[in-house]
Amino acid sequence: MLPCINWLQPFLALISSTLLTRGHNCPSSCLCPDHHTVDCKGQGLTRVPDSIPLDVRRLLLSNNWIPWIPSDFLVLYSDLVYLDLRNNSLSQLEPGTLSTSSRLVFLDLGSNNLTEISSETFGESRSLIKLRLGNNPYLTMVGMDAFTGLTSLRELELERNGLTVLDVRVLEPLPSLRMLRLEGNPWLCNCHFSKLFVWLKENRHKLPTGMEGIECSLPPDGRRVPLSLLSEDSFRECQGTLTLTDYLIVIFSGISVSVAAIMASFFLASTVHCFQRLSKGSKGDEEEGND
């Protein structure tokens, strides 16, 4: 009997270790009020803690000093639905870092030092409903495909960042969007803002503060005015303004026309030259026949 027990001890230890990792082990300096919640708020952490249970569903990491998230961080936590990283020191997110979290519903990245939301940052996080990206004062760029795949997203917060312009195509892949916060950004009311203004006017019901809660700077003096005081006529001068894409199309079209004209001229000249040679050959044959 004793040899059997000794033989089973390694397996029992392995099973016990697995159970602890799956839900009964809590990282040091954190609280685990239940088997699916890990609360590490305000612990002065400088990195994501180790030994997080694999079946964690709510992970609270706000009010720390975490500067980055490992690119494979969410690979193991397939049950995670709530992730709070508010008020940390995050400066960038590697593309695809959050794309593996298929069940994530709530994500808070507010009050960090993010400078850019690049394309494919969130990948195909189709379950994400609420995304907080506000209060990142250095955030000045949002990639064209940053929110592509977030088909369930209902609430998007981009307030109090450093955005001066936002391509309206960034918002088009969000069919479920119900609430959008954009107030507190240093928007510039120039021609690059005109299309976003039209979109905001058509979707003003999605703005919690309304059009009057969003301000922009008017050229040339930089005077800030609420969007509610503007109209599409305010951007009337932009209707004849060409974008970079328009200029490229014009240049390409001009080059294509020039090449086509050169080829046509060359073909026409070659044809005329051939006819002249044939004509001279025919006259020579007639003269030889008369002789």
Side-chain angles (χ1 to χ4, degrees), residues 256-271:
S256 300
V257 170
S258 299
V259 171
I262 293 172
M263 293 179 65
S265 299
F266 178 77
F267 177 76
L268 181 60
S270 300
T271 303

Side-chain angles (χ1 to χ4, degrees), residues 3 5 8 39 45-46 81 108 119 144 159 189 194 200 284:
I5 294 176
L8 287 173
D39 185 351
L45 300 176
T46 57
V81 297
D108 193 342
S119 298
M144 185 72 68
E159 79 282 3
C189 279
S194 59
L200 292 175

